[in-house]
């Protein structure tokens, strides 16, 4: 949603982008070593864990990490200033690719589901569920407002 506003690049934003890229790159590698429950038993055998990850979220995670690193290399090499990506549609496509990061929310939602199973108190589960719904509504409203702002701004990203 930040692409909807004319925010000049700053050192803070560049550092945060790099931290996020490194985090998700490490998550891609680390996911090969995270066990899972299969029929009530914890599966920790490396080959089984890797196969499960390769069959589930690996393609999505890899595509998002590749997009991150590709966009970072294009931006850092100054290709945008050279005119290769000056065509408006190309820039809009690369910015639209960044919107795929929303797919990472599914991983966060899966983590929250696992965390919810650890809670023993029904009252705490209910409170966490209400907080989760309120945060989801706020995020949805925020993204919708940013989209309307970008649309009303005349499409200048």
């Amino acid at each position: 949603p930040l692409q909807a506003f004319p925010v000049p690049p700053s050192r803070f934003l560049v550092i945060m982008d790099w931290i996020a890229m490194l985090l998700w790159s490490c998550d891609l590698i680390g996911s090969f070593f995270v066990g899972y429950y299969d029929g009530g038993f914890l599966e920790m055998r490396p080959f089984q864990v890797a196969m499960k990850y390769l069959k589930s979220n690996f393609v999505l995670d890899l595509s998002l990490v590749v997009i991150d690193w590709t966009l970072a290399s294009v931006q850092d090499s100054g290709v945008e200033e050279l005119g290769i990506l000056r065509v408006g549609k190309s820039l809009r496509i690369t910015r639209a690719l960044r919107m795929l990061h929303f797919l990472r929310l599914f991983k966060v939602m899966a983590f929250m589901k696992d965390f919810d199973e650890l809670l023993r108190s029904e009252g705490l589960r209910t409170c966490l569920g209400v907080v989760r719904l309120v945060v989801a509504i706020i995020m949805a409203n925020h993204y919708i407002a940013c989209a309307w702002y970008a649309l009303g701004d005349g499409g200048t990203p």
Side-chain angles (χ1 to χ4, degrees):
L2 198 55
Q3 287 86 14
F5 302 100
V7 178
S10 68
R11 174 176 256 167
F12 174 75
L13 291 177
V14 170
I15 290 171
M16 291 308 293
D17 279 343
W18 277 97
I19 289 173
M21 279 192 317
L22 291 172
L23 170 82
W24 290 110
S25 298
C26 291
D27 179 65
L28 176 76
I29 295 166
S31 294
F32 281 102
F33 304 104
V34 176
Y36 63 93
Y37 282 99
D38 185 24
F41 296 102
L42 180 62
E43 181 64 66
M44 290 296 293
R45 291 178 289 181
F47 181 76
Q48 303 295 12
V49 171
M51 291 306 295
K52 170 111 171 124
Y53 179 55
L54 287 171
K55 291 177 183 177
S56 60
N57 292 333
F58 177 73
V59 174
L60 172 67
D61 290 348
L62 181 65
S63 63
L64 291 173
V65 168
V66 167
I67 288 169
D68 276 349
W69 284 102
T70 303
L71 290 176
S73 66
V74 166
Q75 290 170 352
D76 287 345
S77 66
V79 172
E80 289 179 352
E81 287 79 13
L82 292 176
I84 295 173
L85 291 179
R86 191 168 296 182
V87 180
K89 288 184 180 181
S90 296
L91 271 176
R92 287 191 183 122
I93 288 171
T94 57
R95 288 183 179 143
L97 288 175
R98 293 190 74 100
M99 300 300 279
L100 289 175
H101 291 200
F102 294 123
L103 297 177
R104 290 186 174 141
L105 290 176
F106 291 118
K107 286 188 85 166
V108 173
M109 289 171 38
F111 171 76
M112 291 299 291
K113 182 182 175 188
D114 293 341
F115 181 73
D116 194 34
E117 291 175 1
L118 295 175
L119 298 177
R120 302 273 187 227
S121 168
E122 193 63 36
L124 195 55
R125 281 187 191 174
T126 304
C127 287
L128 184 64
V130 170
V131 168
R132 192 178 311 147
L133 289 174
V134 169
V135 168
I137 290 170
I138 290 171
M139 287 179 59
N141 285 333
H142 173 73
Y143 290 119
I144 291 170
C146 288
W148 276 110
Y149 179 83
L151 188 66
D153 195 32
T156 56

